């Protein structure tokens, strides 16, 4: 052997302990031949059958009888040879080289997981410790030949953790926004990994590529005059975009002082609600390569899990849940799907709870996804049967297409694109402004109080007799309007002047919301009673009639008069009845069977405000929630209706509970 390439104790001590970022290329080049020569020397002595005087590499802690060498340039893994002659067998001609140890911080500031940046051959990947415990976690490494067995993977995992413990901690977070990093203090982390203050040792994981790219900084910052001109342009092209900007600015401070409510745009298609919402989104995001369409948090047609994971990631930044696809002809299944998503999002926002509870395999509690910003939703129509309690946890801005709420034509002609640089500048300034305030919570509370004082006279004029449920909505509106205080603070404008643009139309929108809450409260409390009254009156006045389970008109309901059943006996002509048919089905509960369209026709003809606003597709779910009909337990997609054969026909019925209509 050439003594010029002999491996010293110092060389062996260095191998596997130095992160790649601190190793000079020349040093790597010098050590790689020595490692190769070391392996060749071991192979030669093993072939001679002579015992090795000194074991190779370093021991694998936790795996007795194993040793390894690891470096960016390669590595090796050995296992002790048992028998008459002690030696070391080369198991792998490579070893995972760890260059970074990433420690995930939980919401409580404590360690909540580990990641490692690992090099194997030509691949350098970041993997979680949990992933590395499974076979799938190794599939992305193309040069890991020989690691197929579980026993070998356990040794490799010990090699990774052994290297990691000698590396400095790099803190990792799983969502954007404000974090209190150990030894670093309050830090804002953007979706692309930047921090404020800059260059703090922290990393973010889980950012979608489009979001990460949109969060990257622009080439320049706007001047003060450009920022003020942008705000003037927004204010003169509709109040809704300025309101959205306020919500977005206030979202940047959510962790410092939460706002327990959601913000909703309720507007017809092509009325500019997405353009308005995007003014908020533009405080921290600029879509690439084109400025439109915006990079949304998620579309409302996504799965519940997709939505909750995406909204959990976007902390302390403007969010946008877009494209709520309901219309007046949407199916009952589509309405139920949107209602379920709204229930999870709005209730979690209003109650400051997890979106959905989670459990580990051993059924212990697992941290769930949370609302970390003011969720902004864009809907072309909210579900007609949306609960009153959800309205009380939301601020709804009702927009029209041509009333000047959003000058969507100006945004479409390029006005929105011209706002890009000023809005990103304002967003960065607000983050820096919040970081500089020692008692940010108290500061935000004062801004909220000031905004509410300015909004209150407009609300009193629009809603003279304000109901109790609206008090929380108005307070949330003031909190959201306080975002204009943050905008004013970083642009040198007057907060009062900005709020004066938004407060009057917002108060009118709140008046519509108050009326809707009143309608929903009345409808949800009395829908079953209303349906019973309408059906009972229709039968009594000959506007509907009873048939038996064979489809024959007759007086068949026990204990009820002919008039109660809407039928008349005409001697030789038999029984007669007018209007829609209602079927007496004694084997179904008993129940009164009627088609959705026929029942809805009777409800609309009655003029009863409690029930005459439903469409055919939304009526079954409303009746089911009110307890007026029987649930279908055999068809998951048809829980409110039933297939029933009457005579030669196989009809789909609502099965009403007869004791709601008559006393038996």
């Amino acid at each position: 052997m050439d003594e010029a390439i002999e491996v010293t104790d110092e060389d062996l001590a260095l191998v596997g302990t130095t992160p790649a970022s601190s190793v000079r290329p020349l040093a790597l080049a010098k050590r790689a031949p020595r490692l190769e020569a070391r392996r060749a020397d071991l192979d030669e002595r093993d072939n001679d059958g002579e015992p090795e005087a000194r074991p190779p590499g370093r021991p694998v802690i936790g795996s007795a009888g194993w040793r390894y060498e690891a470096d960016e340039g390669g590595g090796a893994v050995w296992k002790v040879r048992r028998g008459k002659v002690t030696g070391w067998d080369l198991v792998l001609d490579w070893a995972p080289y760890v260059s970074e140890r990433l420690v995930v911080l939980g919401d409580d500031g404590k360690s909540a997981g580990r990641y490692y940046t690992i090099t194997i051959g030509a691949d350098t990947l970041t993997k979680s410790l949990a992933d590395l415990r499974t076979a799938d976690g190794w599939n992305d490494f193309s040069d890991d030949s020989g690691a197929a067995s579980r026993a070998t993977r356990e040794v490799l995992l010990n090699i990774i953790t052994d290297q990691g413990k000698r590396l400095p901690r790099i803190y990792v977070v799983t969502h954007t926004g404000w974090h209190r990093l150990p030894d670093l203090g309050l830090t804002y982390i953007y979706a692309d990994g930047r921090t404020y203050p800059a260059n703090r040792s922290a990393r973010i994981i889980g950012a979608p590529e489009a979001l990460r790219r949109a969060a990257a900084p622009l080439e320049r910052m706007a001047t003060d005059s450009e920022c003020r001109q942008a705000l003037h342009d927004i204010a003169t092209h509709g109040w809704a975009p300025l309101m959205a900007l306020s919500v977005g600015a206030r979202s940047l401070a959510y962790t410092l002082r939460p706002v327990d409510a959601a913000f909703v745009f309720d507007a017809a298609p092509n009325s500019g609600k997405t353009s308005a919402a995007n003014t908020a989104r533009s405080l921290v995001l600029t879509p690439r390569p084109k400025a439109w369409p915006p990079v949304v948090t998620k579309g409302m047609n996504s799965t519940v899990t997709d939505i909750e994971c995406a909204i959990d990631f976007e902390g302390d930044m403007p969010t946008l849940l877009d494209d709520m696809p309901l219309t007046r002809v949407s199916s009952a299944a589509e309405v139920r799907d949107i209602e379920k998503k709204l229930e999870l999002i709005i209730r979690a926002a209003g109650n400051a709870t997890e979106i959905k509870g989670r459990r580990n395999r051993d059924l212990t509690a697992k941290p769930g996804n949370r609302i970390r910003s003011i969720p902004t939703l864009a809907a072309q129509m909210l579900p007609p049967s949306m609960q009153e309690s959800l309205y009380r946890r939301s601020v709804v801005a009702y927009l029209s297409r041509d009333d000047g709420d959003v000058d969507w034509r100006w945004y479409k002609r390029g006005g929105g694109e011209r706002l890009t640089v000023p809005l990103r500048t304002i967003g960065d300034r607000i983050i820096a402004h919040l970081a500089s305030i020692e008692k940010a919570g108290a500061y935000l509370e004062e801004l909220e109080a000031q905004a509410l004082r300015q909004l209150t006279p407009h609300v009193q004029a629009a809603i003279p007799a304000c109901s109790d449920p609206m008090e929380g909505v108005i307070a949330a509106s003031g909190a959201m309007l306080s975002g204009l205080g943050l905008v004013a603070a970083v642009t040198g404008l007057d907060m009062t002047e900005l709020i004066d643009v938004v407060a009057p139309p917002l108060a009118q929108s709140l008046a519509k919301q108050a009326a809707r809450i009143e309608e929903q409260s009345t409808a949800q409390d009395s829908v079953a009673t209303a349906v019973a009254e309408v059906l009972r009156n229709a039968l009594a006045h000959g506007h509907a009639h009873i048939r038996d389970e064979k489809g024959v008109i007759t007086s068949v309901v026990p204990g009820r008069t002919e008039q109660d059943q809407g039928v008349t006996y005409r001697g030789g002509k038999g029984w007669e009845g007018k209007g829609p048919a209602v079927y007496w089905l004694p084997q179904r509960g008993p129940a009164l069977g009627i088609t959705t369209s026929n029942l809805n026709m009777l409800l609309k003809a009655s003029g009863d405000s409690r029930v005459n606003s439903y469409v055919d597709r939304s009526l079954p779910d409303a009746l089911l929630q009110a307890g007026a009909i029987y649930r279908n337990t055999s068809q998951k997609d048809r829980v409110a209706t039933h297939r029933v054969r009457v005579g030669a026909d196989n009809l789909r019925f609502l099965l009403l509970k007869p004791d709601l209509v008559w006393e038996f």
Side-chain angles (χ1 to χ4, degrees), residues 336-365:
R336 282 196 304 272
D337 180 62
I338 293 298
E339 285 180 334
K340 177 182 178 181
K341 292 169 182 175
L342 291 175
E343 172 75 21
L344 291 171
I345 295 167
I346 296 177
R347 202 167 295 281
N351 296 343
T353 58
E354 296 175 344
I355 298 176
K356 189 166 59 177
R358 301 279 180 183
R359 291 281 171 177
N360 294 307
R361 290 184 178 180
D362 60 359
L363 299 183
T364 56

Side-chain angles (χ1 to χ4, degrees), residues 123 413 485 498 547:
D123 301 316
R413 289 194 299 264
L498 293 176
R547 297 189 182 195

Side-chain angles (χ1 to χ4, degrees), residues 288-596:
R288 271 90 165 192
K290 297 180 180 179
W292 188 266
V295 179
V296 301
T297 305
K298 273 294 175 182
M300 285 295 286
N301 56 351
S302 301
T303 66
V304 170
T305 302
D306 273 349
I307 291 173
E308 66 167 312
C309 290
I311 206 168
D312 176 88
F313 177 81
E314 295 187 3
D316 298 306
M317 62 178 283
T319 59
L320 175 55
L321 298 169
D322 200 12
D323 195 24
M324 194 181 298
L326 288 188
T327 66
R328 295 195 177 275
V329 295
S330 295
S331 68
E334 291 171 329
V335 173
R336 282 196 304 272
D337 180 62
I338 293 298
E339 285 180 334
K340 177 182 178 181
K341 292 169 182 175
L342 291 175
E343 172 75 21
L344 291 171
I345 295 167
I346 296 177
R347 202 167 295 281
N351 296 343
T353 58
E354 296 175 344
I355 298 176
K356 189 166 59 177
R358 301 279 180 183
R359 291 281 171 177
N360 294 307
R361 290 184 178 180
D362 60 359
L363 299 183
T364 56
K366 180 180 180 180
N369 295 314
R370 307 184 72 89
I371 302 292
R372 304 181 185 277
S373 182
I374 303 173
T376 297
L377 302 98
Q380 59 189 27
M381 189 183 84
L382 290 172
S385 54
M386 187 171 113
Q387 296 181 35
E388 174 205 352
S389 60
L390 298 187
Y391 277 104
R392 289 191 283 106
R393 290 168 171 81
S394 308
V395 175
V396 182
Y398 295 93
L399 310 180
S400 63
R401 178 176 170 82
D402 297 312
D403 286 350
D405 296 327
V406 184
D407 186 356
W408 55 271
R409 294 178 180 87
W410 179 80
Y411 282 91
K412 186 176 181 179
R413 289 194 299 264
E417 189 170 350
R418 290 194 293 274
L419 299 174
T420 297
V421 174
L423 288 179
R424 285 295 297 272
T425 302
I426 291 172
D428 288 344
R429 287 183 179 182
I430 290 174
I431 291 169
H433 176 60
L434 290 168
S436 68
I437 299 173
E438 184 176 353
K439 296 182 179 180
Y443 169 70
L444 293 167
E445 184 179 11
E446 176 54 35
L447 287 182
E448 290 175 13
Q450 182 178 343
L452 184 59
R453 286 194 298 269
Q454 195 168 342
L455 174 64
T456 298
H458 300 282
V459 173
Q460 291 174 341
I463 317 174
C466 186
S467 61
D468 290 342
M470 281 300 294
E471 291 183 0
V473 177
I474 295 168
S477 301
M480 293 178 187
L481 268 183
S482 68
L484 292 178
L486 296 173
V487 173
V490 301
T491 57
L493 295 176
D494 186 349
M495 173 183 176
T496 302
E497 293 181 1
L498 293 176
I499 292 180
D500 278 343
V501 176
V502 176
L506 175 60
Q508 294 299 321
S509 187
L510 291 175
K512 293 182 181 180
Q513 184 174 348
R516 186 59 181 159
I517 288 176
E518 185 67 26
E519 291 172 2
Q520 289 299 93
S521 176
T522 302
Q524 290 174 8
D525 289 345
S526 56
V527 65
T529 303
V531 169
E533 291 176 0
V534 169
L535 191 55
R536 186 165 52 246
N537 289 335
L539 290 167
H541 292 88
H543 302 311
H545 67 277
I546 293 291
R547 297 189 182 195
D548 65 14
E549 55 190 334
K550 294 182 180 180
V552 178
I553 301 175
T554 182
S555 177
V556 68
V557 182
R560 308 316 306 178
T561 66
E562 294 177 12
Q563 184 178 3
D564 289 343
Q565 301 176 66
V567 296
T568 305
Y569 187 67
R570 298 297 185 185
K573 294 182 179 180
W575 293 94
E576 291 183 356
K578 296 181 180 179
V582 182
Y583 294 83
W584 175 251
L585 306 172
Q587 305 303 320
R588 292 279 184 158
L592 292 170
I594 185 172
T595 63
T596 302

